[in-house]
C-alpha cells in the first residue's frame, strides 16, 4: 500500500509532465474556457456521463463505509468476542463489496464509453474538417503536426472527459469523507496526518515542477534524436553515396547521449522524490501506530478504531495523489483543446457560395479574365487573360517561377484569385460547386502520388466504382498493362510507400491510367514526362496522347520538344503571358520562346537546357 502511495505520487507528477508536453500553465479563465468546450463535446452523452459520475460517487461512498465495517468486525472479535456478530458483519462486508464491484463496473464502463465516443466524434469531425481546408492551409502546416493533433491531442481531451472528471469527483468525496470520519474516530491522532499532508504537498509541488521541466527537455531531446534518424534514414541513398554513415551515426549517438544525460537527472530527481515521500509516509505510519497503540493501551481507542483510522489515512494519501494529477491533466487537455479548436475554427478559404449550382454537361472551355493572384503579398499572376476552347491542347512554357503551375492550380479552384475571374464554360468558378468542377478535372504531374496499396486500387482511385475490366482497359490505354501483367501479383501487386517499388515511368503510366478512368473533360499535365528516359518517355507520351483525345488539355513542360504539337503555346514570364502562338509561329519570331528553344535544341543537352531555363537571360 505504502509502495503504491509513493509510486502513485511520483507517477502523478511525472505522468502529468509527460501529458503536459510544452503547454505553459494557463490562466484560470483560459483553462475554464477550454474545459467548457471539452465538456460541450460530451453534451450529447450527458445522461450517460451523469449516470457514470453518480455510480462512481456511490462507489466512493461505499468505500468510505468499508473501514467502519472492518472496525465493527474487529471490535466484535477483540472487544466483544461475539461470534454471530462476526458472521453478520462478514456477510455485510461481502454485500458491500458486491455493491461496490457492481457500481464501479457500470460507472467505469459508462465513463469510458463516453470518453471513447467523444474521442471518436472529435477525430471524425477534425478529419472531415481537414479535408475541407485549402492547399494554402496545408502549405502552412506540417503534416506531422496535424496527425499528432488527431492522436495525442484528442487523447488528452479524452482523459479530461473521463478519468480527470471522475477523479475530481470521487477523490474529493473520498478526501472529505475520510478526513471527517478520521476526526470523528480520534481527532488527536488525525493531527499527525494533518501535519504530514501539507509537507508532502509542498514537496510534491516543488519536485513536480522540477520533473515537469526536465520532462519537457527530455521530450525536446527525444524529438531531436527522432528528427536526426528520420532525416538520415529517409535520405539513406545520399548518406551511403557520400559515405556519411559514420558521420550520421555519430550525430545520432551525440543526440542520444544528451538524451541519456537529461533522463539520468530526471531519474535522480524522481527517485529522490519517491524516497522522501516514502520516508515521510512510513514515519507518519509509525507515529500513528505508536500513538494509536498508546491510545489503545489507555483504553481510549479500540483495535478496530485504529485499523479503520489507518484505512482512512491511506484513502487520504490516495486522494491527495490523485488530485495533484488533476491540474496537469486539465491543463494539458486545455492546451490540446485550444489546438484542436484552433483547427476546427479555421474556416476553409474555398467554400461553395450559398447559391452555387453544380456545373453539369461540362464542355471544357476555360478562360482567365484579368486574373491577379498572390500566395502572400507579391503577385505571382499579374492581370492574366487567356482563353482555351473545349478540346484544345494548350501548352504553358516559360522560366521556372513564372507562374505556370499557379495558373493551372486555379482551374480546380485550389485558390481563388484576388482579382479577376476564372471561368469554365463561361461560369465563374465562384458561382458553381467545387465538387462539380473537380469531378471534371484530372491531373497528371511529374511528382506522381500513389497510395501504399495495390496497382488496381491506385488506378481505381480515378473512379471508385470502376470494374476490374475497366481498370484493365485504362491500364492498356496507358501502356501500363504489359508491365503490370509481368509482375508476379499483376494488378494485385503492392506499389510500396509512395510507389517506391515502381520505376518513374511505371508510376507515370499508373497515373495516366488513373486519369483515363476518371474520364474528365479537363486534363492538367504538369511536367508529366520530364523525368523519364527516352524509351519510357515514348510509352508515356503515347499514353498521354490517347488520354488527351477529346479533352481540353493544359500542359506545362520545360522540354519544348514535348509541346511542339500543341494547338497553341502560351509563354509565361514573371506572372504574365508574353507570347502566344503555335510552335512554328513563335519559333519564327524573336522573343523568349525562341531563346528558350534555341538553348534546348542547340545540342540536345537537356540538363543544360533545363538549367539555363531557370535564368534564361
Ligand atoms: P516551375 O516551372 O519551376 O514549376 P512555375 O512557372 O510553375 O515554375 P509556380 O510554381 O507557379 O511557377 O511559382 C510561381 C511563384 O510562386 C514562385 O516564385 C514560387 O516561389 C511561388 N509559389 C509557388 N507555390 C507557392 C506556395 N504554395 N506558397 C507561396 N509561394 C508559392
Amino acid at each position: 500500500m505504502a509502495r503504491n502511495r509513493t509510486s502513485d505520487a511520483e507517477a502523478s507528477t511525472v505522468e502529468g509532465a509527460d501529458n503536459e508536453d510544452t503547454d505553459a500553465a494557463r490562466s484560470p479563465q483560459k483553462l475554464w474556457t477550454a474545459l467548457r468546450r471539452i465538456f460541450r463535446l460530451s453534451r450529447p452523452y450527458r445522461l450517460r456521463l451523469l449516470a457514470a459520475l453518480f455510480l462512481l460517487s456511490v462507489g466512493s461512498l461505499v468505500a468510505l463505509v468499508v473501514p467502519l465495517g472492518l472496525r465493527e468486525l474487529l471490535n466484535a472479535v477483540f472487544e466483544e468476542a461475539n461470534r454471530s456478530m462476526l458472521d453478520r458483519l462478514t456477510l455485510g462486508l461481502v454485500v458491500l463489496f458486491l455493491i461496490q464491484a457492481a457500481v464501479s463496473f457500470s460507472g467505469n464502463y459508462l465513463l469510458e464509453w463516453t470518453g471513447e465516443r467523444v474521442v471518436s466524434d472529435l477525430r471524425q469531425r477534425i478529419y472531415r474538417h481537414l479535408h475541407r481546408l485549402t492547399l494554402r492551409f496545408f502549405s502552412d502546416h506540417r503534416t506531422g503536426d496535424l496527425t499528432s493533433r488527431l492522436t495525442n491531442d484528442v487523447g488528452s481531451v479524452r482523459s479530461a472527459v473521463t478519468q480527470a472528471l471522475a477523479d475530481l469527483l470521487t477523490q474529493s468525496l473520498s478526501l472529505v469523507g475520510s478526513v471527517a470520519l478520521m476526526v470523528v474516530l480520534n481527532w488527536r491522532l488525525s493531527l499527525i496526518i494533518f501535519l504530514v499532508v501539507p509537507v508532502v504537498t509542498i514537496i510534491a509541488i516543488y519536485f513536480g515542477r522540477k520533473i515537469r521541466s526536465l520532462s519537457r527537455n527530455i521530450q525536446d531531446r527525444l524529438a531531436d534524436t527522432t528528427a536526426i534518424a528520420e532525416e538520415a534514414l529517409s535520405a539513406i541513398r545520399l548518406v551511403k553515396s557520400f559515405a556519411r554513415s559514420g558521420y550520421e551515426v555519430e550525430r545520432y549517438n551525440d543526440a542520444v547521449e544528451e538524451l541519456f544525460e537529461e533522463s539520468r537527472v530526471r531519474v535522480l530527481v524522481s527517485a529522490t522524490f519517491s524516497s522522501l515521500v516514502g520516508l515521510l509516509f512510513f514515519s507518519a505510519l509509525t507515529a500513528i501506530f505508536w500513538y494509536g497503540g498508546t491510545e489503545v493501551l489507555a483504553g481510549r481507542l479500540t483495535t478496530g478504531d485504529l485499523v479503520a483510522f489507518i484505512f482512512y489515512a491511506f484513502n487520504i494519501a490516495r486522494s491527495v495523489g490523485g488530485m495533484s494529477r488533476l491540474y496537469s491533466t486539465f491543463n494539458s487537455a486545455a492546451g490540446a483543446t485550444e489546438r484542436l479548436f484552433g483547427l476546427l475554427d479555421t474556416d476553409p478559404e474555398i467554400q461553395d457560395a450559398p447559391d452555387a449550382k453544380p456545373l453539369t454537361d461540362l464542355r471544357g472551355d476555360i478562360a482567365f479574365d484579368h486574373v491577379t493572384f498572390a500566395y502572400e503579398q507579391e503577385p505571382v499572376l499579374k492581370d492574366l487573360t487567356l482563353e482555351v476552347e473545349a478540346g484544345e491542347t494548350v501548352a504553358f512554357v516559360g522560366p521556372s517561377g513564372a507562374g505556370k503551375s499557379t495558373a493551372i492550380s486555379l482551374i480546380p479552384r485550389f485558390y481563388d484569385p484576388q482579382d479577376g475571374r476564372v471561368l469554365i464554360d463561361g461560369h465563374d468558378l465562384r458561382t458553381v460547386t467545387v465538387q462539380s468542377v473537380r469531378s471534371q478535372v484530372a491531373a497528371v504531374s511529374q511528382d506522381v502520388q500513389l497510395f501504399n496499396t495495390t496497382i488496381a486500387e491506385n488506378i481505381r482511385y480515378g473512379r471508385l466504382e470502376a470494374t476490374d475490366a475497366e481498370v484493365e482497359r485504362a491500364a492498356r490505354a496507358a501502356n501500363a498493362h504489359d508491365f503490370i501483367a509481368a509482375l508476379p501479383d499483376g494488378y494485385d501487386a503492392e506499389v510500396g510507400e509512395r510507389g517506391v517499388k515502381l520505376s518513374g515511368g511505371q508510376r507515370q503510366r499508373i497515373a495516366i491510367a488513373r486519369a483515363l478512368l476518371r474520364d474528365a473533360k479537363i486534363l492538367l499535365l504538369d511536367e508529366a514526362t520530364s523525368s523519364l528516359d527516352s524509351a519510357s518517355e515514348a510509352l508515356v507520351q503515347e499514353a498521354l496522347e490517347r488520354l488527351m483525345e477529346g479533352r481540353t488539355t493544359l500542359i506545362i513542360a520545360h522540354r519544348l520538344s514535348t509541346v511542339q504539337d500543341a494547338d497553341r503555346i502560351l509563354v509565361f514570364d514573371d506572372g504574365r503571358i508574353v507570347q502566344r502562338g503555335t510552335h512554328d509561329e513563335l519559333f519564327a519570331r524573336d522573343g523568349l520562346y525562341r531563346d528558350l528553344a534555341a538553348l534546348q535544341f542547340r545540342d540536345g543537352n537537356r540538363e543544360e537546357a533545363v538549367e539555363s531555363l531557370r535564368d534564361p537571360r
Side-chain angles (χ1 to χ4, degrees):
M1 223 22 177
R3 172 78 205 111
N4 275 350
R5 164 73 190 102
T6 46
S7 52
D8 251 1
E10 183 200 342
S12 69
T13 35
V14 175
E15 200 181 286
D18 284 347
N19 279 344
E20 204 173 29
D21 54 64
T22 49
D23 296 326
R26 275 161 188 78
S27 68
Q29 202 194 347
K30 271 187 141 178
L31 189 63
W32 180 234
T33 312
L35 292 180
R36 272 214 332 251
R37 289 192 92 164
I38 296 182
F39 291 112
R40 217 172 291 150
L41 294 172
S42 50
R43 195 178 279 167
Y45 315 110
R46 62 178 177 278
L47 281 183
R48 279 169 196 258
L49 189 59
L50 286 176
L53 294 176
F54 172 75
L55 288 167
L56 290 171
S57 307
V58 171
S60 281
L61 294 177
V62 171
L64 281 175
V65 180
V66 169
L68 291 180
L70 279 176
R71 181 182 79 143
E72 294 307 318
L73 189 142
L74 289 172
N75 286 346
V77 175
F78 294 109
E79 310 288 321
E80 296 161 29
N82 184 336
R83 172 81 222 192
S84 71
M85 179 83 109
L86 173 65
D87 291 344
R88 263 179 290 148
L89 283 168
T90 308
L91 193 68
L93 275 176
V94 170
V95 172
L96 268 188
F97 288 137
L98 282 175
I99 295 175
Q100 206 190 9
V103 291
S104 83
F105 163 77
S106 27
N108 278 321
Y109 176 73
L110 284 176
L111 185 73
E112 295 297 333
W113 186 97
T114 313
E116 295 297 344
R117 200 54 259 165
V118 166
V119 161
S120 306
D121 291 354
L122 193 58
R123 284 213 169 99
Q124 290 171 346
R125 190 165 145 199
I126 291 173
Y127 193 64
R128 197 167 43 236
H129 188 74
L130 278 178
H131 276 274
R132 293 178 60 216
L133 294 174
T134 45
L135 286 190
R136 195 191 293 277
F137 174 85
F138 290 96
S139 341
D140 292 345
H141 291 81
R142 289 196 316 206
T143 326
D145 288 346
L146 299 176
T147 44
S148 125
R149 289 189 199 181
L150 278 174
T151 47
N152 302 338
D153 285 350
V154 171
S156 298
V157 168
R158 175 183 172 282
S159 56
V161 174
T162 57
Q163 220 43 58
L165 187 60
D167 275 359
L168 181 65
L169 193 71
T170 55
Q171 305 291 8
S172 37
L173 271 177
S174 166
L175 184 66
V176 173
S178 299
V179 168
L181 289 165
M182 211 164 72
V183 173
V184 171
L185 280 173
N186 188 309
W187 68 268
R188 282 186 299 271
L189 205 49
S190 309
L191 286 181
I192 298 175
I193 299 291
F194 296 152
L195 281 178
V196 173
V197 165
V199 178
V200 172
T201 310
I202 291 168
I203 293 180
I205 291 173
Y206 172 76
F207 277 89
R209 278 203 192 129
K210 240 188 156 49
I211 293 173
R212 262 199 295 277
S213 101
L214 285 166
S215 296
R216 268 200 285 274
N217 291 350
I218 288 175
Q219 284 191 343
D220 291 347
R221 294 285 88 79
L222 197 61
D224 288 349
T225 54
T226 317
I228 291 175
E230 254 175 26
E231 200 179 38
L233 293 178
S234 61
I236 195 76
R237 266 171 176 275
L238 176 80
V239 173
K240 286 198 185 297
S241 63
F242 275 82
R244 284 282 178 261
S245 294
Y247 168 75
E248 289 299 339
V249 168
E250 209 161 292
R251 230 157 62 96
Y252 184 74
N253 286 353
D254 288 348
V256 170
E257 286 305 323
E258 277 184 39
L259 174 64
F260 170 78
E261 187 49 30
E262 294 276 359
S263 308
R264 186 189 66 78
V265 177
R266 184 173 78 169
V267 167
L268 187 70
V269 173
S270 45
T272 312
F273 175 56
S274 315
S275 315
L276 259 181
V277 172
L279 185 68
L280 270 169
F281 185 82
F282 282 114
S283 310
L285 201 62
T286 316
I288 290 172
F289 273 121
W290 177 79
Y291 186 70
T294 312
E295 293 280 284
V296 172
L297 289 178
R300 284 192 291 269
L301 203 68
T302 66
T303 319
D305 290 341
L306 184 58
V307 169
F309 190 91
I310 287 168
F311 265 91
Y312 289 127
F314 276 120
N315 264 355
I316 291 175
R318 212 179 32 234
S319 306
V320 170
M323 290 179 73
S324 73
R325 216 178 345 216
L326 285 178
Y327 176 71
S328 61
T329 309
F330 279 133
N331 200 40
S332 95
T337 314
E338 279 167 15
R339 286 190 294 270
L340 289 175
F341 280 93
L343 206 61
L344 286 172
D345 293 343
T346 310
D347 273 333
E349 246 179 283
I350 308 278
Q351 293 193 55
D352 285 342
D355 53 350
K357 303 227 168 9
L359 197 56
T360 47
D361 298 327
L362 193 110
R363 286 192 312 278
D365 294 330
I366 299 170
F368 280 48
D369 176 22
H370 297 285
V371 166
T372 295
F373 172 79
Y375 288 104
E376 277 141 31
Q377 260 80 42
E378 193 60 26
V380 175
L381 301 178
K382 303 168 183 163
D383 196 26
L384 199 71
T385 295
L386 63 93
E387 271 179 30
V388 181
E389 278 175 27
E392 243 192 324
T393 298
V394 172
F396 290 4
V397 302
S400 188
K404 306 178 295 290
S405 304
T406 305
I408 292 264
S409 68
L410 300 190
I411 295 168
R413 206 178 161 204
F414 289 154
Y415 304 95
D416 278 337
Q418 277 83 7
D419 230 333
R421 301 179 302 162
V422 178
L423 305 115
I424 291 186
D425 287 358
H427 299 281
D428 186 334
L429 288 186
R430 282 173 290 212
T431 63
V432 291
T433 61
V434 175
Q435 181 68 21
S436 69
V437 173
R438 291 192 187 156
S439 66
Q440 285 301 328
V441 176
V444 181
S445 66
Q446 174 184 3
D447 176 25
V448 172
Q449 294 188 325
L450 296 181
F451 291 103
N452 189 2
T453 169
T454 62
I455 290 185
E457 289 310 309
N458 270 295
I459 297 179
R460 195 170 278 123
Y461 204 72
R463 184 152 48 87
L464 298 177
E465 62 283 3
T467 62
D468 287 348
E470 287 170 323
V471 168
E472 189 181 319
R473 205 173 318 133
R476 280 183 191 279
N479 282 346
H481 176 77
D482 289 349
F483 91 79
I484 298 172
L487 294 171
D489 292 328
Y491 283 85
D492 292 330
E494 299 274 340
V495 302
E497 203 177 343
R498 293 188 304 273
V500 285
K501 295 185 186 167
L502 301 176
S503 77
Q506 291 171 339
R507 281 200 292 269
Q508 289 285 5
R509 281 176 277 160
I510 301 283
I512 293 172
R514 184 167 64 187
L516 272 163
L517 204 55
R518 186 151 186 79
D519 195 21
K521 278 280 169 15
I522 296 174
L523 184 62
L524 307 174
L525 305 178
D526 191 347
E527 293 281 333
T529 59
S530 64
S531 63
L532 305 178
D533 61 72
S534 324
S536 294
E537 190 187 346
L539 283 172
V540 172
Q541 196 62 44
E542 195 182 278
L544 281 176
E545 273 156 26
R546 239 171 257 151
L547 175 61
M548 283 152 60
E549 271 165 32
R551 302 175 213 278
T552 312
T553 309
L554 298 183
I555 309 180
I556 296 181
H558 276 142
R559 265 192 292 175
L560 303 184
S561 57
T562 56
V563 299
Q564 285 179 67
D565 298 331
D567 297 322
R568 268 185 307 141
I569 296 171
L570 305 180
V571 186
F572 278 66
D573 191 18
D574 193 22
R576 293 194 166 83
I577 297 174
V578 291
Q579 285 185 295
R580 299 167 197 251
T582 63
H583 169 76
D584 293 339
E585 287 164 8
L586 292 172
F587 199 61
R589 277 188 238 147
D590 266 352
L592 182 54
Y593 187 81
R594 205 170 57 191
D595 293 346
L596 298 175
L599 275 168
Q600 287 186 28
F601 298 128
R602 185 179 55 196
D603 54 11
N605 184 334
R606 176 173 154 243
E607 290 312 319
E608 191 189 322
V610 170
E611 231 3 82
S612 51
L613 274 173
R614 299 194 187 285
D615 184 15
R617 277 157 296 181

